[in-house]
Amino acid sequence: MTEHVAKSRAGEHDLPLPPGTAMRDFADQVSRRHGVGLSTYGLLHAWSVEQPEQYWGEVWRYFDVQASAPFDEVLDSQIMPGARWFGGARLNYVEQVLRHEHHGDDPAIIVLGEGRDRSVVSWADLHTRVTAFADTLRSNGVVPGDRVVGYLPNADEAIIAFLGSAAVGAVWAGCAPDYGAAAAADRLQQLEPKVLVGVTATSFGGVLQDRRDVLLELSKRLDPDLVVTVARGEMEISAPADGPTTWLTWDEAVTAHDHPAPLRAEQVASDHPLWVLFSSGTTGVPKGIVHGHAGVLVTHLAALGLHQDLGAEDVLFWYTTTNWMLWNIVVGALLVGATTVVYEGSPAHPTLDVLWDIVADERVTQFGTSPGMLQAAASAGLEPGRDHDLSRLQSILLTGAPAPESVYEWSARAVSPRIPLISTSGGTDVVSSFMGGSPGVPVRPGQIPGPLLGVAVEAWDDDGQARRDHVGELVVTAPMPSMPLGLWNDPDGSRYREAYFDHFPGVWRHGDWVTHTSAGSFIVHGRSDSTLNRNGVRLGSADVYSVVESVDGVAEALVLGVERPDGTYRMPLFIVAEEGHEVDSALIEHITERLRAECSPRHVPDEFHVVEALPHTKTGKKLEVPLKRILQGADPADVLSAGAVDRPDLVEAYVELERAWTEAAARAGTTAGGTA
């Protein structure tokens, strides 16, 4: 065996890959086939980014990707944007899912929700319903390249409708029914869809919310050829009396009318669009991000099958909504034959224990959630390890926001010290992660263990130099298969290049501030476009949150760094009190001292504002950038879509604050306070 040329940094991810894991088996097979020594994760990762064609080709081989025609080459060029993967291959994402139909009556999807009886979709059922839905689409004139959209919650219907659409070669897009008609149309209307699949109602927080009027309005705006209605409760809906649109019920759409038929999955090119995901929409009309069949397929097989070591014996439960790219990961669990759990409802009803009930009752092996949910559980004094049988749970996966060390401490104490808390970070843009966990890579509280295989991720300074142990821009220096094919309605690619490649030409700039440590781990500090900047020193908002939100009595906080038009700089902190607590001068002084001692004097805000609540995106992210823009004087209508915000009524307070700042400066006849 020859020695592989790639070298991992001394001491970086140098533990042996654990036996009995897919990662170890994969590395052993690759080592034998290519004559390389890949005994540690550091060596394996170094090889994967130095030899991307070999690595991604081996992922294809290891998971036996189903294709009617093989690829001519793995990667045509390493130039970004524009790199194309698996050229010449003909395949369909759905075949990789339904190849597991031999599991028969074993559960593919466990369906749970408020006001719903537990149900199970077996692998045999999944095959039947997906095939029937695909046939329904074909009989209504849907052909490859047409768009099918969903206004659906995180339930079995969304998965089946997506898979049926993909089988036809149609392009899927969806959003959750917490959006109003205008916000849903902002996303879905761009695609000029041929089919709309919509729910009549949804349950959340103990309330059955009627969405029939929204669905009717959405059908008018989108003007599809076919509307499929998914009923909840007694809330059926009938087709309008006028209009050419065909209306079907969900039961009609997924019933094989003649006899069970074999799946007919359209064989499409590797870069045929699979789905369109949308940006948050907090800075205007959401941009549509297009991903292809092969790129998503190999990326999710590697992330789920290798990094998460997910297989046919596993049960994955990741709490999400159809607005978030984590829903696509929930579906992706089916690629490796795992059972996936879907839950339609509130994560806090009837109590904050509801998600832990599901983990225990469904014998979940991998549980995904957000740091905010664990912080809420900690604040409520929950002890899941004491109150639930978590004997099957192997890992807790976190994403959506930086996870402070306090969350790790609570989990080790209140859940179990044997169950690792694994933080990951990626984005809707690549519908996957850049950094995350891996078998054999240690977990350090407050840090993401390391880069994913095949991902050349670094932290760069302003001069485009990779830095260790310093805050820098998160960049990816080589193509990933799941990078977008492009943006919807961007024929010359200019919007795509501007979004990701203009800052560092030819290099993906993601827009996050990170520290890449000497140990190979990563610390995410927040969005780089919402970075705090004190006297030229950049600060991460996550560092402030890790201190402030750990203070007893504080439910949530928001810090903004605002460059004002008059040349001054303000850094306000907005605090939401925990129920039963009051944010008084003594608590503010305590926060100030903690920030000064645990971070630095620069982290102490200029002013404190106690607010009722903070506005978020529909996926729970703080509106740092739009609110910063408002405090700089921007019109709210220009920087966010009200329909994309959970509490748009809260935005007016920031408009009023900006007005007060401006009036105070005018009265003073000079610059307004704040720190220059």
Side-chain angles (χ1 to χ4, degrees):
M1 177 180 292
T2 60
E3 184 180 8
H4 174 52
V5 294
K7 301 287 186 182
S8 62
R9 288 167 58 100
E12 183 174 308
H13 306 321
D14 59 355
L15 296 176
L17 293 168
T21 63
M23 186 72 79
R24 169 68 176 270
D25 185 49
F26 174 79
D28 288 348
Q29 290 192 29
V30 169
S31 295
R32 289 193 297 270
R33 200 156 23 247
H34 293 276
V36 294
L38 306 176
S39 58
T40 71
Y41 186 77
L43 290 170
L44 181 58
H45 180 266
W47 172 80
S48 74
V49 296
E50 290 182 6
Q51 306 291 337
E53 295 92 342
Q54 290 183 13
Y55 166 66
W56 289 108
E58 287 295 339
V59 171
W60 184 289
R61 177 200 290 260
Y62 186 77
F63 289 101
D64 188 24
V65 170
Q66 302 295 286
S68 59
F71 54 81
D72 299 324
E73 58 183 352
V74 174
L75 177 62
D76 69 345
S77 164
Q78 293 213 33
I79 296 174
M80 297 188 292
R84 288 291 177 260
W85 293 87
F86 303 106
R90 306 287 294 182
L91 75 167
N92 193 296
Y93 175 102
V94 178
E95 285 187 317
Q96 190 71 28
V97 170
L98 293 183
R99 68 186 299 182
H100 302 291
E101 66 171 311
H102 65 274
H103 292 308
D105 292 335
D106 290 346
I109 308 171
I110 296 173
V111 186
L112 305 167
E114 290 186 26
R116 298 190 67 181
D117 292 334
R118 177 186 185 273
S119 63
V120 172
V121 179
S122 71
W123 285 98
D125 293 337
L126 183 64
H127 183 279
T128 298
R129 295 181 201 179
V130 168
T131 301
F133 190 78
D135 289 345
T136 294
L137 294 179
R138 289 189 175 102
S139 67
N140 281 274
V142 176
V143 299
D146 285 343
R147 277 75 66 197
V148 178
V149 299
Y151 183 70
L152 295 166
N154 181 27
D156 53 317
E157 296 96 347
I159 295 178
I160 292 165
F162 156 63
L163 292 174
S165 303
V168 176
V171 185
W172 173 261
C175 65
D178 55 353
Y179 281 125
D186 280 347
R187 290 155 174 76
L188 305 179
Q189 201 166 24
Q190 301 176 45
L191 276 58
E192 301 178 271
K194 201 161 189 174
V195 179
L196 167 65
V197 187
V199 73
T200 62
T202 185
S203 292
F204 193 90
V207 178
L208 184 66
Q209 300 172 347
D210 190 343
R211 309 309 280 168
R212 288 174 294 184
D213 288 346
V214 178
L215 184 55
L216 283 168
E217 176 63 24
L218 194 56
S219 70
K220 291 178 184 176
R221 293 183 184 228
L222 303 183
D223 193 26
D225 293 346
L226 172 66
V227 176
V228 178
T229 61
V230 176
R232 286 286 187 267
E234 302 300 320
M235 295 185 180
E236 301 285 349
I237 191 170
S238 300
D242 55 350
T245 301
T246 300
W247 288 65
L248 294 175
T249 67
W250 177 252
D251 286 345
E252 291 172 319
V254 296
T255 299
H257 297 292
D258 297 324
H259 54 81
L263 173 73
R264 181 160 66 94
E266 195 75 25
Q267 297 300 288
V268 297
S270 59
D271 60 355
H272 185 82
L274 175 64
W275 54 44
V276 177
L277 303 186
F278 295 98
S279 62
S280 62
T282 55
T283 56
V285 176
K287 62 178 183 283
I289 303 167
V290 188
H291 298 113
H293 277 247
V296 167
L297 187 53
V298 295
T299 299
H300 285 186
L301 286 171
L304 293 161
L306 296 180
H307 284 274
Q308 290 182 211
D309 203 31
L310 195 71
E313 301 302 316
D314 285 298
V315 178
L316 174 70
F317 172 44
W318 204 313
Y319 178 77
T320 185
T321 78
T322 51
N323 293 328
W324 199 8
M325 55 79 60
L326 267 304
W327 178 82
N328 305 77
I329 299 297
V330 166
V331 179
L334 300 171
L335 293 170
V336 294
T339 299
T340 196
V341 178
V342 294
Y343 173 67
E344 175 185 353
S346 167
H349 179 81
T351 70
L352 275 170
D353 238 6
V354 63
L355 300 185
W356 297 103
D357 287 337
I358 294 171
V359 171
D361 294 346
E362 302 303 334
R363 298 180 58 75
V364 168
T365 58
Q366 297 187 18
F367 172 41
T369 185
S370 67
M373 284 304 306
L374 295 192
Q375 287 174 308
S379 296
L382 299 189
E383 294 193 36
R386 178 195 65 191
D387 299 332
H388 300 278
D389 177 5
L390 304 180
S391 57
R392 282 263 294 168
L393 186 60
Q394 299 168 3
S395 60
I396 300 172
L397 309 166
L398 294 179
T399 195
E405 290 188 27
S406 59
V407 166
Y408 292 78
E409 294 165 0
W410 172 81
S411 181
R413 183 180 68 255
V415 181
S416 171
R418 74 166 179 84
I419 301 173
L421 205 60
I422 302 173
S423 189
T424 182
S425 183
T428 298
D429 323 71
V430 294
V431 71
S432 184
S433 296
F434 302 116
M435 305 93 72
S438 184
V441 177
V443 175
R444 297 174 173 86
Q447 301 181 23
I448 300 174
L452 265 60
L453 293 177
V455 183
V457 59
E458 296 178 344
W460 277 18
D461 63 19
D462 288 342
D463 296 325
Q465 299 298 311
R467 300 290 300 274
R468 292 291 183 115
D469 301 316
H470 289 82
V471 177
E473 290 270 6
L474 188 160
V475 300
V476 181
T477 61
M480 294 170 58
S482 64
M483 282 178 174
L485 303 176
L487 303 183
W488 194 261
N489 289 335
D490 181 29
D492 64 357
S494 58
R495 291 170 56 224
Y496 180 39
R497 289 191 297 274
E498 180 184 2
Y500 304 107
F501 298 103
D502 274 3
H503 193 81
F504 297 116
V507 172
W508 177 286
R509 171 184 175 263
H510 191 62
D512 280 349
W513 284 119
V514 301
T515 296
H516 192 183
T517 74
S518 297
S521 59
F522 288 84
I523 302 168
V524 177
H525 302 282
R527 296 294 293 173
S528 58
D529 45 13
S530 60
T531 302
L532 311 174
N533 189 326
R534 276 312 210 12
N535 300 317
V537 178
R538 290 169 173 161
L539 312 173
S541 57
D543 301 320
V544 175
Y545 300 145
S546 67
V547 171
V548 177
E549 294 180 342
S550 70
V551 171
D552 188 33
V554 175
E556 193 175 20
L558 172 73
V559 65
L560 300 174
V562 185
E563 300 85 0
R564 295 281 292 157
D566 57 14
T568 60
Y569 185 83
R570 285 180 178 265
M571 198 173 97
L573 179 70
F574 303 87
I575 299 175
V576 180
E578 285 185 330
E579 187 174 352
H581 290 76
E582 179 183 355
V583 178
D584 55 17
S585 58
L587 186 61
I588 289 174
E589 182 61 28
H590 175 66
I591 291 171
T592 299
E593 292 306 314
R594 291 253 330 246
L595 286 170
R596 192 184 305 276
E598 297 177 34
C599 295
S600 78
R602 292 188 181 93
H603 288 77
V604 177
D606 297 319
E607 53 197 77
F608 292 80
H609 299 269
V610 181
V611 294
E612 167 202 349
L614 298 177
H616 304 82
T617 68
K618 294 285 190 176
T619 56
K621 295 184 179 179
K622 297 173 183 177
L623 298 177
E624 289 180 323
V625 176
L627 294 179
K628 171 179 175 173
R629 295 282 307 281
I630 288 170
L631 290 177
Q632 290 173 321
D635 186 330
D638 293 336
V639 298
L640 59 80
S641 170
V645 181
D646 61 352
R647 289 281 305 276
D649 57 298
L650 298 172
V651 173
E652 182 59 29
Y654 299 87
V655 176
E656 293 175 358
L657 178 59
E658 192 281 328
R659 189 179 300 124
W661 283 354
T662 301
E663 291 174 354
R667 286 195 302 270
T670 182
T671 58
T675 303

